[in-house]
Amino acid sequence: MQCDYFDRGVCRSCTLMGQPYADQVLDKEIRTRELLHDAVEAAGGPGAVEWLPAITSPESAYRNKAKMVVGGSVQHPTVGILDHRQRGVDLQHCGICTPGIQRALPVLARFIADAGLIPYDVAARRGELKFVLVTESPDGELMVRFVLRSEGQLPRLREHLAALRSVLPEAVVVTANLLPEHKAVTEGDREVLLTEQATLPMRMGDVTMHLRPQSFFQTNTVVAARLYEQATAWIDEVDPASMWDLYCGVGGFALHAARPGLAVTGIETSREAVRSAGQSAREAGLTDVRFAADDATEHALRARPDAVPELVVVNPPRRGIGVTLADWLEASSVDHVVYSSCNPVTLAKDLARMPSFRLDRVRVLDMFPQTGHLEAVTVLSRR
């Protein structure tokens, strides 16, 4: 992939830009194998673990969510990142964003100017509009979120909303997020819905997930579909009667694995995500699937012995599942674990804490082309 922003030194976020894509994927596979070396040896050596071929991605136009810093001035806003002096750098035509987002960003930049929204000046700590967050669904619909310092510009947003939707009809969900603090986060706790529609349907095959603001969804829709497909195939092979989906987000693994005779519980700290997952389950008529807002580790520690499932799916953030949950799984009656990881370093550490489980299969998924990040999904069985 070629990127003018990278070539000019304007943006270096995609650290592997310019490296042949096949080499990127091979390097990620090699790194994952090296990090999981001890787990492979504990399973009986390289021949005892099945390494499936890596799942690749389109090299460009894959990212379904753009988190854009708003800088510049009211008349000439920038939508992109900040440079080392905290000045706005415009990335309206970022090539890793999906086509719908690439079309939307220039429209949103013009809207900011036309509506008179005041970009936030990080260095001076003044102004109002901090970020524009845009998510595209597989069907081309958009969720647009304006992150504001205060409610001061809400009237302008409401006043100009009809004009925005006339030129960007794909924007079916529009919100204002309030982030009054000056700190290095992307969004605040309070969300103001500006449209009648509150969720963005993310249709993946036979499963439709509802995405609300402040809910996590995999960044790469194409590869996410393959991830859920792979995990579901492994779950079907095990054929458990009960399953937990920990760190479930909007319910991707749970909703894909759901079938008659399988009792599924999804656990996620985000209440908005749990609301989304519950809505998806109800619309699909899934009566054996339930979701709850809770901490994954606390949920496990409180579980009665007769409530422990046969299989657990974990999809933690980069820090991994951690010592306490790994120790609980090691001591539990759980027979199988499907572990989806965005950080093979913490994956390796967590596997080392669970010697009673054997690493059976591993698959690398290139969820983040042009960067060093990757996803790895594994299935473990109790020895």
Side-chain angles (χ1 to χ4, degrees), residues 61-66 96-98 101 134-138 141-143 200 202 204 211 217-222 224:
Y62 70 83
R63 188 175 179 88
N64 61 28
K65 183 173 183 178
I96 65 169
C97 294
T98 56
I101 293 177
V134 189
T135 303
E136 183 178 15
S137 78
E141 295 182 323
L142 299 176
M143 177 188 293
L200 184 67
M202 306 293 284
M204 304 179 75
L211 184 63
F217 192 84
Q218 296 285 0
T219 303
N220 189 321
T221 306
V222 172

mmCIF file of all heavy atoms in Angstrom, residues 61-66 96-98 101 134-138 141-143 200 202 204 211 217-222 224:
data_model
loop_
_atom_site.group_PDB
_atom_site.id
_atom_site.type_symbol
_atom_site.label_atom_id
_atom_site.label_comp_id
_atom_site.label_asym_id
_atom_site.label_seq_id
_atom_site.Cartn_x
_atom_site.Cartn_y
_atom_site.Cartn_z
ATOM 1 N N ALA A 61 -8.190 0.343 3.098
ATOM 2 C CA ALA A 61 -9.643 0.531 3.205
ATOM 3 C C ALA A 61 -10.291 -0.528 4.080
ATOM 4 O O ALA A 61 -11.403 -0.978 3.804
ATOM 5 C CB ALA A 61 -10.282 0.549 1.815
ATOM 6 N N TYR A 62 -9.605 -0.922 5.157
ATOM 7 C CA TYR A 62 -10.128 -1.986 6.012
ATOM 8 C C TYR A 62 -10.684 -1.482 7.348
ATOM 9 O O TYR A 62 -11.496 -2.149 7.984
ATOM 10 C CB TYR A 62 -9.035 -3.012 6.302
ATOM 11 C CG TYR A 62 -7.925 -2.507 7.207
ATOM 12 C CD1 TYR A 62 -8.056 -2.508 8.595
ATOM 13 C CD2 TYR A 62 -6.738 -2.006 6.674
ATOM 14 C CE1 TYR A 62 -7.055 -2.035 9.416
ATOM 15 C CE2 TYR A 62 -5.721 -1.543 7.485
ATOM 16 C CZ TYR A 62 -5.880 -1.556 8.862
ATOM 17 O OH TYR A 62 -4.884 -1.073 9.680
ATOM 18 N N ARG A 63 -10.261 -0.314 7.785
ATOM 19 C CA ARG A 63 -10.576 0.121 9.143
ATOM 20 C C ARG A 63 -11.975 0.722 9.203
ATOM 21 O O ARG A 63 -12.247 1.761 8.580
ATOM 22 C CB ARG A 63 -9.535 1.137 9.630
ATOM 23 C CG ARG A 63 -9.667 1.491 11.100
ATOM 24 C CD ARG A 63 -8.551 2.413 11.567
ATOM 25 N NE ARG A 63 -8.727 2.751 12.963
ATOM 26 C CZ ARG A 63 -8.246 2.042 13.979
ATOM 27 N NH1 ARG A 63 -7.539 0.966 13.735
ATOM 28 N NH2 ARG A 63 -8.470 2.404 15.221
ATOM 29 N N ASN A 64 -12.866 0.095 9.987
ATOM 30 C CA ASN A 64 -14.266 0.525 10.015
ATOM 31 C C ASN A 64 -14.549 1.611 11.049
ATOM 32 O O ASN A 64 -15.697 2.042 11.192
ATOM 33 C CB ASN A 64 -15.198 -0.670 10.258
ATOM 34 C CG ASN A 64 -14.941 -1.362 11.597
ATOM 35 O OD1 ASN A 64 -14.479 -0.759 12.556
ATOM 36 N ND2 ASN A 64 -15.236 -2.651 11.663
ATOM 37 N N LYS A 65 -13.519 2.066 11.735
ATOM 38 C CA LYS A 65 -13.716 3.141 12.715
ATOM 39 C C LYS A 65 -12.569 4.131 12.620
ATOM 40 O O LYS A 65 -11.391 3.743 12.643
ATOM 41 C CB LYS A 65 -13.805 2.592 14.136
ATOM 42 C CG LYS A 65 -14.073 3.680 15.180
ATOM 43 C CD LYS A 65 -14.315 3.097 16.559
ATOM 44 C CE LYS A 65 -14.659 4.190 17.564
ATOM 45 N NZ LYS A 65 -14.947 3.654 18.915
ATOM 46 N N ALA A 66 -12.895 5.405 12.501
ATOM 47 C CA ALA A 66 -11.896 6.469 12.472
ATOM 48 C C ALA A 66 -12.042 7.337 13.715
ATOM 49 O O ALA A 66 -13.147 7.812 14.008
ATOM 50 C CB ALA A 66 -12.062 7.318 11.217
ATOM 51 N N ILE A 96 -6.391 3.784 4.993
ATOM 52 C CA ILE A 96 -6.746 2.531 5.674
ATOM 53 C C ILE A 96 -8.203 2.535 6.125
ATOM 54 O O ILE A 96 -8.726 1.496 6.527
ATOM 55 C CB ILE A 96 -5.822 2.240 6.880
ATOM 56 C CG1 ILE A 96 -5.986 3.293 7.976
ATOM 57 C CG2 ILE A 96 -4.375 2.117 6.431
ATOM 58 C CD1 ILE A 96 -5.301 2.902 9.277
ATOM 59 N N CYS A 97 -8.869 3.684 6.061
ATOM 60 C CA CYS A 97 -10.284 3.764 6.436
ATOM 61 C C CYS A 97 -11.160 3.168 5.335
ATOM 62 O O CYS A 97 -10.804 3.208 4.154
ATOM 63 C CB CYS A 97 -10.697 5.213 6.690
ATOM 64 S SG CYS A 97 -9.892 5.967 8.113
ATOM 65 N N THR A 98 -12.314 2.655 5.722
ATOM 66 C CA THR A 98 -13.237 2.093 4.750
ATOM 67 C C THR A 98 -13.703 3.179 3.775
ATOM 68 O O THR A 98 -13.651 4.377 4.092
ATOM 69 C CB THR A 98 -14.458 1.490 5.448
ATOM 70 O OG1 THR A 98 -15.073 2.489 6.275
ATOM 71 C CG2 THR A 98 -14.083 0.284 6.287
ATOM 72 N N ILE A 101 -16.094 5.842 5.136
ATOM 73 C CA ILE A 101 -15.471 6.816 6.033
ATOM 74 C C ILE A 101 -14.638 7.802 5.230
ATOM 75 O O ILE A 101 -14.638 9.012 5.509
ATOM 76 C CB ILE A 101 -14.626 6.099 7.101
ATOM 77 C CG1 ILE A 101 -15.537 5.299 8.037
ATOM 78 C CG2 ILE A 101 -13.792 7.099 7.899
ATOM 79 C CD1 ILE A 101 -14.797 4.499 9.093
ATOM 80 N N VAL A 134 -16.083 8.182 13.674
ATOM 81 C CA VAL A 134 -16.964 7.681 12.617
ATOM 82 C C VAL A 134 -16.798 6.175 12.485
ATOM 83 O O VAL A 134 -15.675 5.673 12.374
ATOM 84 C CB VAL A 134 -16.651 8.347 11.262
ATOM 85 C CG1 VAL A 134 -17.711 7.969 10.229
ATOM 86 C CG2 VAL A 134 -16.557 9.862 11.401
ATOM 87 N N THR A 135 -17.916 5.455 12.493
ATOM 88 C CA THR A 135 -17.917 4.004 12.302
ATOM 89 C C THR A 135 -18.805 3.660 11.119
ATOM 90 O O THR A 135 -19.913 4.195 10.999
ATOM 91 C CB THR A 135 -18.444 3.286 13.558
ATOM 92 O OG1 THR A 135 -17.653 3.657 14.683
ATOM 93 C CG2 THR A 135 -18.384 1.767 13.382
ATOM 94 N N GLU A 136 -18.322 2.763 10.256
ATOM 95 C CA GLU A 136 -19.124 2.318 9.115
ATOM 96 C C GLU A 136 -19.539 0.866 9.298
ATOM 97 O O GLU A 136 -18.723 0.012 9.662
ATOM 98 C CB GLU A 136 -18.354 2.456 7.801
ATOM 99 C CG GLU A 136 -19.218 2.053 6.597
ATOM 100 C CD GLU A 136 -18.530 2.221 5.252
ATOM 101 O OE1 GLU A 136 -17.289 2.383 5.231
ATOM 102 O OE2 GLU A 136 -19.228 2.187 4.226
ATOM 103 N N SER A 137 -20.799 0.568 9.040
ATOM 104 C CA SER A 137 -21.310 -0.796 9.119
ATOM 105 C C SER A 137 -21.016 -1.537 7.825
ATOM 106 O O SER A 137 -20.690 -0.916 6.803
ATOM 107 C CB SER A 137 -22.817 -0.770 9.363
ATOM 108 O OG SER A 137 -23.511 -0.472 8.156
ATOM 109 N N PRO A 138 -21.166 -2.863 7.813
ATOM 110 C CA PRO A 138 -20.978 -3.615 6.564
ATOM 111 C C PRO A 138 -21.951 -3.201 5.465
ATOM 112 O O PRO A 138 -21.683 -3.429 4.282
ATOM 113 C CB PRO A 138 -21.223 -5.073 6.996
ATOM 114 C CG PRO A 138 -20.896 -5.091 8.454
ATOM 115 C CD PRO A 138 -21.349 -3.760 8.964
ATOM 116 N N GLU A 141 -23.795 2.049 6.343
ATOM 117 C CA GLU A 141 -24.363 3.086 7.206
ATOM 118 C C GLU A 141 -23.296 3.569 8.186
ATOM 119 O O GLU A 141 -22.324 2.865 8.470
ATOM 120 C CB GLU A 141 -25.577 2.550 7.955
ATOM 121 C CG GLU A 141 -26.746 2.197 7.045
ATOM 122 C CD GLU A 141 -27.957 1.701 7.799
ATOM 123 O OE1 GLU A 141 -27.780 0.982 8.814
ATOM 124 O OE2 GLU A 141 -29.086 2.011 7.377
ATOM 125 N N LEU A 142 -23.507 4.785 8.705
ATOM 126 C CA LEU A 142 -22.495 5.411 9.549
ATOM 127 C C LEU A 142 -23.044 5.794 10.918
ATOM 128 O O LEU A 142 -24.210 6.186 11.046
ATOM 129 C CB LEU A 142 -21.953 6.682 8.888
ATOM 130 C CG LEU A 142 -21.269 6.561 7.531
ATOM 131 C CD1 LEU A 142 -20.903 7.946 7.010
ATOM 132 C CD2 LEU A 142 -20.036 5.667 7.610
ATOM 133 N N MET A 143 -22.176 5.703 11.916
ATOM 134 C CA MET A 143 -22.394 6.333 13.217
ATOM 135 C C MET A 143 -21.371 7.457 13.334
ATOM 136 O O MET A 143 -20.171 7.228 13.178
ATOM 137 C CB MET A 143 -22.211 5.351 14.367
ATOM 138 C CG MET A 143 -22.359 5.987 15.753
ATOM 139 S SD MET A 143 -21.901 4.848 17.096
ATOM 140 C CE MET A 143 -23.202 3.636 16.953
ATOM 141 N N LEU A 200 -26.232 1.198 15.496
ATOM 142 C CA LEU A 200 -25.769 0.942 14.139
ATOM 143 C C LEU A 200 -25.759 -0.570 13.922
ATOM 144 O O LEU A 200 -24.970 -1.282 14.547
ATOM 145 C CB LEU A 200 -24.357 1.506 13.958
ATOM 146 C CG LEU A 200 -23.753 1.410 12.556
ATOM 147 C CD1 LEU A 200 -24.515 2.303 11.580
ATOM 148 C CD2 LEU A 200 -22.275 1.793 12.579
ATOM 149 N N MET A 202 -24.699 -3.971 12.671
ATOM 150 C CA MET A 202 -23.489 -4.534 12.071
ATOM 151 C C MET A 202 -23.827 -5.956 11.633
ATOM 152 O O MET A 202 -23.775 -6.906 12.428
ATOM 153 C CB MET A 202 -22.334 -4.527 13.080
ATOM 154 C CG MET A 202 -22.041 -3.160 13.697
ATOM 155 S SD MET A 202 -21.403 -1.935 12.520
ATOM 156 C CE MET A 202 -19.708 -2.476 12.313
ATOM 157 N N MET A 204 -23.314 -9.371 9.900
ATOM 158 C CA MET A 204 -22.228 -10.253 9.485
ATOM 159 C C MET A 204 -22.825 -11.631 9.230
ATOM 160 O O MET A 204 -23.073 -12.405 10.152
ATOM 161 C CB MET A 204 -21.143 -10.305 10.556
ATOM 162 C CG MET A 204 -20.602 -8.931 10.925
ATOM 163 S SD MET A 204 -19.333 -8.957 12.194
ATOM 164 C CE MET A 204 -17.952 -9.566 11.260
ATOM 165 N N LEU A 211 -24.591 -1.924 17.402
ATOM 166 C CA LEU A 211 -23.491 -1.170 17.992
ATOM 167 C C LEU A 211 -24.006 0.170 18.494
ATOM 168 O O LEU A 211 -24.572 0.960 17.737
ATOM 169 C CB LEU A 211 -22.393 -0.944 16.950
ATOM 170 C CG LEU A 211 -21.122 -0.247 17.419
ATOM 171 C CD1 LEU A 211 -20.407 -1.085 18.473
ATOM 172 C CD2 LEU A 211 -20.183 0.015 16.242
ATOM 173 N N PHE A 217 -16.235 -2.759 19.092
ATOM 174 C CA PHE A 217 -16.440 -3.662 17.965
ATOM 175 C C PHE A 217 -15.098 -3.829 17.263
ATOM 176 O O PHE A 217 -14.304 -2.892 17.196
ATOM 177 C CB PHE A 217 -17.481 -3.091 16.990
ATOM 178 C CG PHE A 217 -17.965 -4.084 15.965
ATOM 179 C CD1 PHE A 217 -18.983 -4.970 16.279
ATOM 180 C CD2 PHE A 217 -17.393 -4.145 14.701
ATOM 181 C CE1 PHE A 217 -19.425 -5.897 15.352
ATOM 182 C CE2 PHE A 217 -17.824 -5.067 13.772
ATOM 183 C CZ PHE A 217 -18.856 -5.952 14.100
ATOM 184 N N GLN A 218 -14.835 -5.021 16.752
ATOM 185 C CA GLN A 218 -13.567 -5.257 16.066
ATOM 186 C C GLN A 218 -13.378 -4.250 14.936
ATOM 187 O O GLN A 218 -14.312 -3.939 14.196
ATOM 188 C CB GLN A 218 -13.515 -6.675 15.508
ATOM 189 C CG GLN A 218 -13.557 -7.769 16.571
ATOM 190 C CD GLN A 218 -12.252 -7.930 17.325
ATOM 191 O OE1 GLN A 218 -11.273 -7.214 17.066
ATOM 192 N NE2 GLN A 218 -12.216 -8.850 18.271
ATOM 193 N N THR A 219 -12.151 -3.773 14.783
ATOM 194 C CA THR A 219 -11.846 -2.681 13.857
ATOM 195 C C THR A 219 -11.933 -3.086 12.390
ATOM 196 O O THR A 219 -12.212 -2.258 11.529
ATOM 197 C CB THR A 219 -10.434 -2.144 14.155
ATOM 198 O OG1 THR A 219 -10.373 -1.738 15.517
ATOM 199 C CG2 THR A 219 -10.087 -0.978 13.275
ATOM 200 N N ASN A 220 -11.680 -4.351 12.104
ATOM 201 C CA ASN A 220 -11.616 -4.836 10.738
ATOM 202 C C ASN A 220 -12.789 -5.795 10.515
ATOM 203 O O ASN A 220 -12.763 -6.941 10.960
ATOM 204 C CB ASN A 220 -10.277 -5.552 10.521
ATOM 205 C CG ASN A 220 -10.003 -5.923 9.086
ATOM 206 O OD1 ASN A 220 -10.904 -6.330 8.365
ATOM 207 N ND2 ASN A 220 -8.749 -5.816 8.684
ATOM 208 N N THR A 221 -13.823 -5.342 9.816
ATOM 209 C CA THR A 221 -15.045 -6.134 9.673
ATOM 210 C C THR A 221 -14.788 -7.436 8.932
ATOM 211 O O THR A 221 -15.305 -8.495 9.311
ATOM 212 C CB THR A 221 -16.124 -5.324 8.935
ATOM 213 O OG1 THR A 221 -16.303 -4.071 9.610
ATOM 214 C CG2 THR A 221 -17.446 -6.059 8.919
ATOM 215 N N VAL A 222 -14.004 -7.388 7.866
ATOM 216 C CA VAL A 222 -13.742 -8.588 7.064
ATOM 217 C C VAL A 222 -13.057 -9.657 7.901
ATOM 218 O O VAL A 222 -13.455 -10.831 7.910
ATOM 219 C CB VAL A 222 -12.887 -8.229 5.830
ATOM 220 C CG1 VAL A 222 -12.445 -9.483 5.091
ATOM 221 C CG2 VAL A 222 -13.663 -7.314 4.893
ATOM 222 N N ALA A 224 -12.856 -9.742 11.223
ATOM 223 C CA ALA A 224 -13.693 -10.097 12.372
ATOM 224 C C ALA A 224 -14.661 -11.216 12.010
ATOM 225 O O ALA A 224 -14.900 -12.129 12.811
ATOM 226 C CB ALA A 224 -14.453 -8.872 12.866
#
